[in-house]
Amino acid sequence: MEYEWKPDEQGLQQILQLLKESQSPDTSTQRSVQQKLEQLNQFPDFNNYLIFVLTKLKSEDEPTRSLSGLILKNNVKAHFHNFPNGVTDFIKSECLNNIGDSSPLIRATVGILITTIASKGELQNWPELLPKLCGLLDSEDYNTCEGAFGALQKICEDSAEILDSDILERPLNVMIPKFLQFFKHSSPKIRSHAVACVNQFIIGRTQALMLHIDSFIENLFALATDEEPEVRKNVCRALVMLLEVRMDRLLPHMHNIVEYMLQRTQDQDENVALEACEFWLTLAEQPICKEVLCRHLTKLIPVLVNGMKYSEIDIILLKGDVEEDEAVPDSEQDIRPRFHRSRTVAQPHEEDGIEEDEDDEDDLDDDETISDWNIRKCSAAALDVLANVFRDELLPHILPLLKELLFHPEWVVKESGILVLGAIAEGCMQGMIPYLPELIPHLIQCLSDKKALVRSITCWTLSRYAHWVVSQPPDMYLKPLMTELLKRILDGNKRVQEAACSAFATLEEEACTELVPYLAYILDTLVFAFSKYQHKNLLILYDAIGTLADSVGHHLNKPEYIQMLMPPLIQKWNVLKDEDKDLFPLLECLSSVATALQSGFLPYCEPVYQRCVNLVQKTLQQEMVHNAQPDQYESPDKDFMIVALDLLSGLAEGLGGNIEQLVARSNILTLMYQCMQDKMPEVRQSSFALLGDLTKACFQHVKVCIADFMPILGTNLNPELISVCNNATWAIGEISIQMGAEMQPYVPLVLHQLVEIINRPNTPKTLLENTGTTLQLFAGTAITIGRLGYVCPQEVAPMLQQFIRPWCTSLRNIRDNEEKDSAFRGICTMITVNPGGVVQDFIFFCDAVASWINPKEDLRDMFCKILHGFKNQVGEENWRRFSDQFPPPLKERLAAYYGV
C-alpha cells in the first residue's frame, strides 16, 4: 500500500453519514453509531478513511472533520498495535503534513492525535517526529509554527519522563534551548506555548533545563509584564515550581519576585491571580519563608484578606441569594464519591491507625465550579499556612483588618472577616485567646445572620475554635454554641445544614463526654434532621451521629436514647438497596453506634448482622463470576464488602459474647477465609480486624479454623502493607492468648517474620513512612511476640537475643493496659527460660520495666525476681558499675519500686 491511498467514494459517504449521525442528541442513534464504528474497526483501512476526512476533506465542516480525528484517536488508544504498517505510516505522514491546517480546531485535533500515537511507546518508533516538529517551529507560516508548538506542548506534558531519558538520545538538549528562543516571539500564543513546554521539566529537575536555568529565569523575568494573560499565568506557574526545586537560583532576586507576585496576586485576570496566589502557599512550606516574607507582610496580608471575599460570580453560582432551598432535591452529580476508610486496629496507641486517603478524586467535572479551587480558597489556604509559620507575629497585621471586617455593614465583607478568623485559628490560637471571650459570643450571634452564606462560614470558623470553647466552663460558651449549632443543623438552607453538621461533628470530637448532659437535646435535633434532609446532607448527618457515638461511648446506652436514635437509622437501613453506595456512611455510622450501645444494640443486631454477611457473600460471588467470565460480568465494588466486614467488627466489639449465636448460625468464617486471601489489601485488612474481634468475642467458633487461618496470617506479615500487617499481627496475638499452649505448632509460621518486623526500624526507609502507623506496627508486633512467648515460652525464648532490644524500646512509650500487661508477662517468662538472651541488653529491659506506672501485683513480683536475680548473679560490685550507666530518673525509679 503506497502513501497514495485513495478512498472508495461509497465507503467515504457511508463514514460521513456515520459521523453526521453521531452528532445527533438522540441516545439510541448514538448507540447504533457506536456499534457500527466497532464493526468498521474490522477493516484495516477504516482508519485511513478517518485520517482522510480529518486532513484532506476540506469541503466538510470542521466539527465533522475534527470528530473523525477524535474517533481515530480512540482507535489508536485501543488498537494501535494491530494497525497494518502502511496504515500507520499513512496516518503519521498525514499528521505531520497537516499540523499547520488553517483551522485552529483541526490543528488542535491533529496535535492530540500526534500525542496519542507518541504516547503508545511510539516516540522510539517515530524518530523523525521531534526533529520534524522542532523544525516546523521555524516556519514562516504562523499556523504551522503554532500547530507544531501545540503538538510539542502536549507531548511534553504526556511524555516528560521519557524525553529526559537515554532511550531517545536526550532530545531535550536540543529542544530546551530551542524553546527558550521563542520566549521573545511576537505572537502571544507562541510565547505562551514556549513557556508551557519548558515548565513541564522544572519539577523533575531535568538536567537539560538545569544547564540553562539562568537563561530560563532571565527570560521569565523579561516576560513578567507580558500583555497576554496566558503568558503571565505560565510565568507565575514557573516561579512557583522553581521555588520548590531551585530556590538557590531565585534567592538573589527574591525581593523583586515577592513584589512581582504581590502585583500578580491582584491581576485583573483571575487565572493569573490564582497561579500567583499559589506562590504564597508554596513559599510557606520552605524553611526560608519567614526570613523572606517578614518585611512584606504589611502588603501581603491585606492582599490575601481581600482575595477571601466572594466574587460576584461566586455568589451567583452559589445561589447566595437563595435562603431557603431545603425542599429542593439534590442533583446527583453534586454528591462527591466518598471513600471508605478501612478499619485499622488501633493497638496500644490510641490514635486512629488511619492512613491518609489517597486522593482517589477522579477528575470530576461537576457543574459546581465553585467547589473547585479559586482565589478565595487559595487565599484562605495561604493565610492558614502563613499563620502556622509566623504564629502570633501575624496578629499585628491581621487584627486591625479584622476589626473593620467583622462588624462591616455589607454581608460579603463581614463574611470574609469570619473566614479570616477561621483561617488563622490554628496558627495564631495563643495570641487570639485574649480576644475570644468577646469574639465567640459575637460569632454565636452571627449564626443567626439573615444571609445563609454568613451562617455557613460562621459554623466552620466556630468549629476551628471548638478546642478552646470546650476548655472553658461549659455554661460560658459550650452550651450557647451547642444550642445555636443545633438550630443551624435544622436550618432552611442546605449549605448551612451541611456546615453546621460538619462543625457539630468537630465539636463532638473535642467535647466527648462533656456532651452527656445534653444528649437528649442533641438526639432530638439529629433525629429530626432525618426527616428534613435531602440526599447529600443525610450522608453528613450519618457522620455526625457516628462521631457522637464515638465521643460519648456507653453513655448512649440508655433505653430512651436508643428509642430515639435506632428507629430512623433502621428505617433508612431497610429502604436502602444492597447496591446503594449510601450504605457506606450508614454502615460506618451503625458500626460506631453498635460499639457504643454494646448490649443495647442487641434488639437490632440480627437483621444488621445478616445483611452484612449477605453483602460479603454477594461481593465474593460477583468476584468469582467476574474472574470466570471477565467480559460478561463486571468486577464488584469491594467497598461494600469492606464496610460490611468493618460493621461486623463493630458488632463483635460492642456485643462481645452476645454475638456467639449469630456466628453459630451463619457461614461468616468460611467467607472470612476467602476475604483473608483477597488480592485487595483493604479487604484483608478488614478481615483480620474481624478475626481478632471474633477471637475475643466467641473463640469456640474461630478455634476450628485456626489450622486454616494461621498460614494466611503468616504470609501477611509484610510491613510494606503496614495496615494489613498491623491487623494480622494483632489477630495473631489475640489468638495466642485464647489458644494457650496449643499455639505451639503455629509458632514457626509467624515468629521469624515478627522478629524481622521488629528489627526493621534500623532501615532508613522507615523514616519516610507514616511514623505514627509505623510506631504502632512495632508496638503491636512487640505485644504479639510477648503474648506468643507467654503461651509458648520454650519455642520463643531461644530467640530472645534477636528481639529483646527493639522489643523494649517499642513498648516503653505505651501506657499501661491489658495488652502491655500480657506482653510483659511473656517477656518475663521467656527471661526465666533463657536468662542468657537478655544479658547484653539488660539496661533496655530495666528501662522498659521502669515505664510502668502501676503494674499488677504479681507482674511486679516477676520484675522484682528478674532484677534481683540479675543483681545477685553479677554481684554488688558489677551491679554498681552497671547501674551507674543509668540516667538518674531510671536509677531512682528502680530503687524506689524494686529495691535494686
Side-chain angles (χ1 to χ4, degrees):
M1 202 184 330
E2 267 301 54
Y3 280 16
E4 284 315 301
W5 176 87
K6 291 275 185 298
D8 163 64
E9 196 48 45
Q10 204 180 350
L12 187 60
Q13 288 314 315
Q14 205 183 342
I15 284 172
L16 284 171
Q17 181 58 36
L18 263 183
L19 291 169
K20 294 274 189 292
E21 280 176 19
S22 75
Q23 294 171 55
S24 132
D26 174 49
T27 35
S28 60
T29 314
Q30 284 182 356
R31 220 171 294 133
S32 83
V33 171
Q34 267 326 105
Q35 286 176 324
K36 287 185 195 151
L37 287 173
E38 273 309 311
Q39 289 161 355
L40 287 169
N41 268 318
Q42 316 299 317
F43 298 102
D45 65 351
F46 170 48
N47 293 302
N48 286 358
Y49 282 92
L50 291 173
I51 189 85
F52 183 87
V53 174
L54 172 66
T55 57
K56 292 232 198 300
L57 209 57
K58 312 264 176 170
S59 54
E60 268 312 315
D61 62 295
E62 288 179 15
T64 303
R65 289 172 60 198
S66 170
L67 184 66
S68 181
L70 293 174
I71 291 172
L72 176 54
K73 175 204 77 160
N74 290 335
N75 286 348
V76 167
K77 266 197 156 136
H79 315 290
F80 189 71
H81 295 298
N82 306 331
F83 285 14
N85 285 342
V87 173
T88 305
D89 294 342
F90 182 58
I91 293 173
K92 284 178 175 177
S93 72
E94 280 302 297
C95 282
L96 286 175
N97 294 336
N98 291 277
I99 192 81
D101 193 284
S102 58
S103 144
L105 178 63
I106 301 300
R107 287 203 297 276
T109 311
V110 172
I112 289 172
L113 188 51
I114 288 178
T115 316
T116 310
I117 296 174
S119 68
K120 285 299 222 182
E122 281 297 302
L123 275 173
Q124 297 96 293
N125 305 336
W126 194 357
E128 69 273 21
L129 173 64
L130 292 172
K132 176 89 187 200
L133 287 174
C134 287
L136 292 173
L137 294 181
D138 298 320
S139 163
E140 292 298 303
D141 173 48
Y142 170 78
N143 290 339
T144 305
C145 174
E146 201 262 335
F149 239 134
L152 279 167
Q153 185 181 331
K154 294 188 185 85
I155 291 174
C156 291
E157 284 169 15
D158 282 0
S159 312
E161 263 141 57
I162 189 171
L163 288 173
D164 187 30
S165 66
D166 286 327
I167 304 176
L168 302 173
E169 322 226 319
R170 306 227 163 250
L172 290 180
N173 295 337
V174 179
M175 287 162 71
I176 284 180
K178 178 107 187 163
F179 295 152
L180 290 175
Q181 291 167 10
F182 285 88
F183 277 35
K184 303 206 165 66
H185 196 276
S186 58
S187 147
K189 186 121 201 235
I190 302 280
R191 294 197 297 274
S192 170
H193 276 311
V195 183
C197 283
V198 181
N199 281 359
Q200 296 306 320
F201 303 101
I202 299 177
I203 289 295
R205 296 187 170 81
T206 303
Q207 190 191 348
L209 175 55
M210 292 306 140
L211 288 174
H212 298 279
I213 194 79
D214 291 320
S215 100
F216 173 47
I217 290 174
E218 209 174 301
N219 277 310
L220 277 178
F221 289 164
L223 294 177
T225 50
D226 199 294
E227 75 272 12
E228 170 65 30
E230 196 57 30
V231 174
R232 297 199 300 275
K233 185 182 100 176
N234 283 329
V235 170
C236 290
R237 180 172 293 174
L239 288 170
V240 171
M241 292 189 286
L242 287 167
L243 200 52
E244 285 187 51
V245 299
R246 288 310 301 261
M247 174 67 99
D248 57 322
R249 283 295 188 254
L250 295 186
L251 268 181
H253 317 283
M254 213 54 190
H255 180 74
N256 295 334
I257 293 176
V258 169
E259 294 280 317
Y260 172 68
M261 284 300 190
L262 268 168
Q263 285 176 316
R264 289 288 75 87
T265 305
Q266 304 167 75
D267 200 286
Q268 292 310 290
D269 184 287
E270 186 167 347
N271 295 323
V272 178
L274 185 53
E275 272 313 323
C277 195
E278 296 276 352
F279 180 80
W280 315 112
L281 264 179
T282 306
L283 184 56
E285 291 168 2
Q286 307 296 327
I288 201 142
C289 174
K290 218 168 169 170
E291 216 178 304
V292 168
L293 274 188
C294 55
R295 39 199 276 228
H296 299 280
L297 287 180
T298 350
K299 283 187 183 162
L300 172 61
I301 297 303
V303 170
L304 292 177
V305 167
N306 197 35
M308 288 161 75
K309 284 206 292 281
Y310 276 126
S311 65
E312 284 169 34
I313 183 89
D314 287 343
I315 295 171
I316 295 165
L317 288 169
L318 281 171
K319 309 189 177 57
D321 45 353
V322 179
E323 290 301 320
E324 295 259 332
D325 62 356
E326 61 173 355
V328 184
D330 295 335
S331 75
E332 286 309 304
Q333 72 264 25
D334 285 353
I335 297 170
R336 295 225 153 187
R338 292 179 72 266
F339 299 100
H340 170 65
R341 295 163 171 273
S342 299
R343 192 176 180 97
T344 304
V345 183
Q347 251 180 328
H349 293 288
E350 288 166 16
E351 295 108 62
D352 284 355
I354 289 172
E355 280 131 291
E356 282 308 301
D357 275 337
E358 285 78 67
D359 285 326
D360 268 330
E361 305 257 328
D362 295 329
D363 303 327
L364 296 170
D365 303 319
D366 52 358
D367 299 335
E368 260 202 305
T369 351
I370 196 61
S371 71
D372 296 333
W373 198 230
N374 56 20
I375 284 284
R376 169 183 161 94
K377 290 189 177 178
C378 191
S379 306
L383 187 58
D384 184 348
V385 288
L386 288 172
N388 277 300
V389 171
F390 286 93
R391 301 278 162 191
D392 296 344
E393 293 166 42
L394 207 62
L395 289 177
H397 304 279
I398 290 264
L399 290 170
L401 298 172
L402 267 176
K403 273 209 184 74
E404 277 173 49
L405 300 171
L406 286 172
F407 301 95
H408 200 282
E410 274 180 67
W411 76 264
V412 179
V413 180
K414 175 166 142 183
E415 193 277 348
S416 73
I418 298 172
L419 173 58
V420 168
L421 192 55
I424 60 170
E426 199 187 337
C428 306
M429 183 56 93
Q430 275 324 101
M432 286 305 293
I433 288 176
Y435 306 98
L436 293 180
E438 63 177 307
L439 276 175
I440 297 293
H442 174 64
L443 285 172
I444 292 175
Q445 269 182 311
C446 294
L447 281 175
S448 39
D449 192 277
K450 59 181 199 305
K451 275 295 190 196
L453 290 172
V454 173
R455 299 198 297 278
S456 62
I457 197 66
T458 306
C459 291
W460 177 74
T461 293
L462 278 163
S463 75
R464 303 265 291 178
Y465 291 95
H467 185 73
W468 181 82
V469 166
V470 170
S471 69
Q472 305 302 304
D475 284 357
M476 288 183 69
Y477 309 104
L478 177 60
K479 208 167 162 186
L481 169 59
M482 194 177 59
T483 313
E484 288 306 306
L485 261 186
L486 288 170
K487 286 184 195 156
R488 292 293 68 84
I489 285 180
L490 303 179
D491 199 275
N493 179 280
K494 293 195 286 193
R495 182 173 296 276
V496 179
Q497 295 170 357
E498 174 181 2
C501 244
S502 302
F504 195 71
T506 306
L507 186 63
E508 289 170 335
E509 286 175 349
E510 290 291 348
C512 292
T513 48
E514 296 278 336
L515 297 178
V516 173
Y518 317 108
L519 265 174
Y521 181 40
I522 294 172
L523 286 170
D524 239 352
T525 307
L526 296 180
V527 167
F528 189 71
F530 262 111
S531 54
K532 205 173 154 67
Y533 276 15
Q534 297 292 340
H535 188 173
K536 181 180 176 188
N537 287 349
L538 259 183
L539 308 184
I540 298 163
L541 181 61
Y542 293 142
D543 184 53
I545 291 173
T547 307
L548 180 67
D550 294 339
S551 303
V552 300
H554 63 91
H555 296 284
L556 202 53
N557 188 6
K558 294 228 168 70
E560 63 272 31
Y561 300 156
I562 298 176
Q563 286 304 261
M564 294 166 78
L565 183 57
M566 288 310 298
L569 284 174
I570 292 297
Q571 190 260 326
K572 292 288 174 203
W573 170 261
N574 290 333
V575 295
L576 284 179
K577 297 199 171 45
D578 275 357
E579 355 351 292
D580 194 328
K581 291 237 163 99
D582 284 8
L583 271 177
F584 299 165
L586 178 54
L587 284 156
E588 284 172 42
C589 167
L590 279 171
S591 184
S592 295
V593 170
T595 310
L597 290 185
Q598 298 176 337
S599 60
F601 197 79
L602 268 177
Y604 307 95
C605 64
E606 187 146 8
V608 174
Y609 179 90
Q610 247 341 102
R611 182 163 195 180
C612 288
V613 173
N614 290 344
L615 281 168
V616 174
Q617 185 150 5
K618 257 192 175 161
T619 313
L620 289 170
Q621 279 165 347
Q622 261 179 287
E623 171 89 329
M624 269 172 56
V625 292
H626 165 72
N627 288 339
Q629 296 172 291
D631 30 359
Q632 307 254 253
Y633 297 99
E634 296 215 339
S635 66
D637 178 343
K638 292 196 180 165
D639 277 349
F640 284 104
M641 172 156 80
I642 295 167
V643 183
L645 290 166
D646 289 348
L647 175 44
L648 287 169
S649 273
L651 288 177
E653 199 180 324
L655 298 172
N658 286 318
I659 201 172
E660 186 271 322
Q661 285 148 323
L662 294 170
V663 174
R665 296 200 297 270
S666 71
N667 60 340
I668 185 65
L669 289 158
T670 320
L671 299 174
M672 277 166 62
Y673 180 64
Q674 289 172 268
C675 294
M676 287 160 64
Q677 299 175 78
D678 197 277
K679 55 180 186 298
M680 187 173 175
E682 291 78 5
V683 175
R684 302 202 300 277
Q685 177 182 331
S686 292
S687 54
F688 296 146
L690 177 54
L691 174 59
D693 282 315
L694 287 180
T695 298
K696 290 173 86 162
C698 54
F699 187 62
Q700 68 270 46
H701 296 299
V702 178
K703 190 169 185 180
V704 289
C705 311
I706 292 298
D708 295 324
F709 289 173
M710 284 310 294
I712 301 174
L713 286 166
T715 50
N716 278 280
L717 296 177
N718 163 17
E720 297 301 322
L721 294 169
I722 206 157
S723 300
V724 179
C725 187
N726 207 342
N727 288 6
T729 304
W730 176 71
I732 293 167
E734 291 297 339
I735 290 169
S736 308
I737 294 289
Q738 300 285 348
M739 291 283 281
E742 294 177 56
M743 193 66 185
Q744 193 192 336
Y746 305 111
V747 174
L749 290 174
V750 297
L751 185 58
H752 284 277
Q753 291 95 302
L754 290 169
V755 172
E756 222 166 87
I757 293 169
I758 204 171
N759 278 298
R760 200 167 172 251
N762 316 338
T763 59
K765 181 180 169 297
T766 46
L767 295 176
L768 308 171
E769 282 172 26
N770 176 338
T771 36
T773 323
T774 309
L775 288 172
Q776 194 184 314
L777 176 64
F778 295 135
T781 308
I783 283 173
T784 294
I785 292 176
R787 291 174 146 193
L788 268 180
Y790 184 51
V791 296
C792 303
Q794 299 299 336
E795 284 65 32
V796 186
M799 290 187 75
L800 248 183
Q801 204 176 340
Q802 294 178 41
F803 61 75
I804 185 71
R805 190 167 175 167
W807 190 96
C808 292
T809 46
S810 298
L811 288 185
R812 67 183 303 275
N813 300 323
I814 285 172
R815 49 190 97 117
D816 301 5
N817 64 17
E818 278 304 309
E819 300 189 321
K820 182 169 172 174
D821 178 276
S822 55
F824 270 86
R825 287 170 194 275
I827 211 81
C828 292
T829 315
M830 291 188 273
I831 291 174
T832 323
V833 172
N834 175 16
V838 74
V839 172
Q840 283 178 315
D841 297 304
F842 199 69
I843 186 165
F844 290 94
F845 177 72
C846 295
D847 178 50
V849 165
S851 76
W852 278 90
I853 312 292
N854 47 0
K856 291 186 184 151
E857 208 42 54
D858 56 339
L859 181 59
R860 193 196 179 113
D861 291 342
M862 293 169 103
F863 292 159
C864 254
K865 278 207 186 72
I866 291 172
L867 292 168
H868 283 280
F870 186 81
K871 185 177 171 176
N872 298 337
Q873 186 77 35
V874 297
E876 280 293 341
E877 184 51 37
N878 285 330
W879 175 262
R880 189 174 316 110
R881 250 192 276 161
F882 174 65
S883 60
D884 280 345
Q885 307 164 31
F886 292 1
L890 174 59
K891 209 169 181 172
E892 288 154 28
R893 191 121 194 202
L894 290 176
Y897 276 70
Y898 302 101
V900 289

